């Protein structure tokens, strides 16, 4: 009989904002870390963690791979990251709160997927507003790298080949926040797009999975998605992927690994859990033949592969 994992994946600390990456034969899962003790009764997050697996059941804990202590210009909010590899270097894109105010996107660079990541020394994206959070990175077949991010607006930059700077002439591009692209919802743009974008391409179709807010009174986040035939849109709303749960936030990380498709997400289901004490989970799913995704339930775990 096949072994099965049990959710949440990490049971000894609170983790959130899952960001899976496959490097070689291994799946690396980068997460944020909700501290047990809260400051000002708000998200209290100082470092980024990494875990890895080769079979979806046995996980290795690589500990802290990057932290606010490594970023001189940041003081709080080690929020949702994503990692990517290019030319043998590993890049971890991370939203942080700047000492002089506002959120910005930092990037750490390492020679190994498990760090240690070294900060660039300055923000990569810093528009001077609060929208610069939740980066998601993808390198297209033609070599162009895209960094999408944002709450409440979805924006992107074209990363240069060095992955630590972007095309300043193109600058920060704003995606039109329309109901056609992101569905009708209750977030500030009038669409359901909230935050936590997750950008990838599969069978020639581009996907933007995100945490969203349904119409009506403010509710907990669900996960939804849009698709496009090009990397910069126009995006077409696809529907809900995972209904809202008991936790205020949720956050998608979607990946194909060894012939299986997985959605990583977070809940508050570990003992002592709360909106500020979250835990990363995973479920397996199948795409429909046309590339669409049917809403999937919260899961107990996945089978060994
Ligand atoms: O974990 C801190 C923030 O909450 C993330 O950046 C958002 O995506 C939401 O999960």
């Amino acid at each position: 009989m096949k072994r099965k994992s049990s959710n949440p994946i990490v049971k000894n600390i609170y983790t959130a904002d899952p960001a899976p990456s496959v490097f070689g034969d291994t799946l690396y899962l980068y997460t944020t870390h909700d501290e047990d003790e809260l400051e000002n009764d708000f998200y209290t997050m100082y470092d980024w963690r990494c875990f890895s697996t080769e079979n979806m059941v046995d996980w290795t804990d690589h500990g802290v791979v990057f932290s606010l202590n490594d970023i001189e210009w940041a003081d709080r909010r080690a929020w949702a990251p994503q990692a990517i590899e290019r030319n043998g270097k590993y890049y971890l894109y991370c939203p942080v709160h700047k000492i002089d105010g506002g959120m910005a996107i930092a990037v750490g660079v390492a020679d190994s997927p498990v760090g240690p990541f070294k900060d660039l020394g300055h923000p990569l994206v810093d528009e001077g507003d609060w929208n610069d959070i939740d980066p998601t990175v993808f390198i297209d077949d033609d070599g162009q790298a895209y960094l999408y991010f944002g709450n409440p607006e979805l924006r992107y930059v074209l990363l240069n080949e060095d992955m630590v700077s972007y095309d300043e002439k193109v600058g920060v591009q704003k995606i039109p926040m329309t109901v056609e692209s992101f569905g009708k919802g209750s977030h500030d743009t009038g669409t359901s797009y909230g935050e936590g974008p997750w950008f990838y391409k599969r069978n020639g179709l581009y996907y933007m999975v995100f945490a969203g807010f349904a119409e009506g009174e403010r509710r907990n986040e669900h996960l939804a998605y849009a698709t496009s035939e090009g990397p910069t849109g126009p995006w077409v709303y696809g529907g809900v992927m995972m209904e809202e749960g008991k936790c205020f936030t949720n956050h998608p990380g979607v990946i194909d690994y060894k012939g299986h498709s997985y959605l990583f997400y977070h809940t508050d289901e570990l003992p002592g859990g709360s909106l500020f004490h979250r835990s990363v989970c995973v479920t397996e799913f199948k795409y429909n033949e046309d590339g669409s995704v049917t809403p999937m339930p919260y899961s107990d775990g996945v089978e060994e592969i």
Side-chain angles (χ1 to χ4, degrees):
M1 226 174 74
K2 281 198 173 163
R3 292 190 300 150
K4 208 178 159 196
S5 72
S6 68
N7 279 327
I9 296 170
V10 182
K11 296 179 171 62
N12 58 331
I13 57 169
Y14 296 110
T15 55
D17 306 317
S21 288
V22 175
F23 299 131
D25 213 23
T26 304
L27 188 150
Y28 292 87
L29 177 64
Y30 299 85
T31 74
T32 55
H33 170 208
D34 286 334
E35 295 288 336
D36 292 5
E37 298 291 324
L38 296 185
E39 266 179 34
N40 301 321
D41 208 19
F42 193 60
Y43 298 102
T44 305
M45 304 163 73
Y46 304 136
D47 53 37
W48 294 273
R49 303 293 178 120
C50 182
F51 307 85
S52 68
T53 185
E54 288 180 6
N55 61 14
M56 297 304 290
V57 170
D58 302 306
W59 287 89
T60 304
D61 183 350
H62 300 282
V64 176
V65 292
F66 198 32
S67 101
L68 291 179
N69 291 334
D70 305 317
I71 309 173
E72 272 182 10
W73 49 271
D75 58 359
R76 278 177 284 146
R77 299 189 190 164
W79 283 6
Q82 191 179 351
I84 201 164
E85 183 268 341
R86 185 163 209 169
N87 298 329
K89 293 260 183 217
Y90 297 85
Y91 300 88
L92 188 66
Y93 298 89
C94 303
V96 289
H97 181 268
K98 291 183 299 168
I99 287 173
D100 57 4
M103 295 295 290
I105 297 172
V107 51
V109 186
D111 292 323
S112 149
V114 296
F117 286 89
K118 192 174 177 325
D119 177 49
L120 206 55
H122 56 83
L124 169 65
V125 179
D126 180 10
E127 297 177 275
D129 64 17
W130 292 84
N131 197 76
D132 296 348
I133 70 165
D134 293 1
T136 177
V137 61
F138 170 71
I139 304 173
D140 210 346
D141 302 336
D142 62 1
Q144 178 62 59
Y146 297 83
L147 188 82
Y148 272 92
F149 53 91
N151 173 351
E153 289 181 6
L154 183 62
R155 302 176 184 170
Y156 71 88
V157 293
L158 300 178
L159 290 174
N160 294 326
E161 168 106 29
D162 64 11
M163 300 299 276
V164 296
S165 63
Y166 64 85
D167 187 332
E168 303 266 357
K169 276 200 223 108
V170 174
V172 177
Q173 291 289 312
K174 297 185 177 189
I175 295 293
M177 301 306 292
T178 64
V179 168
E180 290 72 30
S181 293
F182 302 108
K184 209 165 185 313
S186 59
H187 206 33
D188 302 2
T189 60
T191 75
S192 79
Y193 176 84
E195 56 184 357
W198 186 264
F199 181 42
Y200 63 99
K201 183 175 169 182
R202 192 175 186 278
N203 295 339
L205 193 61
Y206 296 83
Y207 288 78
M208 189 66 68
V209 184
F210 56 89
F213 294 100
E215 277 185 85
E217 271 186 25
R218 177 55 63 92
R219 307 198 331 226
N220 293 345
E221 288 179 345
H222 61 238
L223 301 181
Y225 75 102
T227 57
S228 169
E229 282 170 16
T232 58
W235 292 98
V236 178
Y237 182 61
V240 169
M241 216 160 148
M242 177 173 262
E243 294 289 352
E244 66 192 70
K246 283 185 282 164
C247 186
F248 174 58
T249 62
N250 198 347
H251 192 102
V254 181
I255 203 149
D256 280 357
Y257 181 53
K258 296 188 175 173
H260 299 254
S261 298
Y262 296 102
L263 168 69
F264 289 81
Y265 58 97
H266 69 224
T267 68
D268 60 0
E269 65 192 58
L270 204 60
S274 74
L275 78 164
F276 302 130
H277 297 106
R278 301 161 292 175
S279 297
V280 165
C281 299
V282 63
T283 190
E284 183 172 353
F285 72 98
K286 287 198 188 331
Y287 289 86
N288 299 319
E289 239 168 64
D290 62 358
S292 63
V293 180
T294 308
M296 59 199 81
Y298 289 77
S299 157
D300 292 340
V302 297
E303 278 193 352
E304 180 175 14
I305 54 170

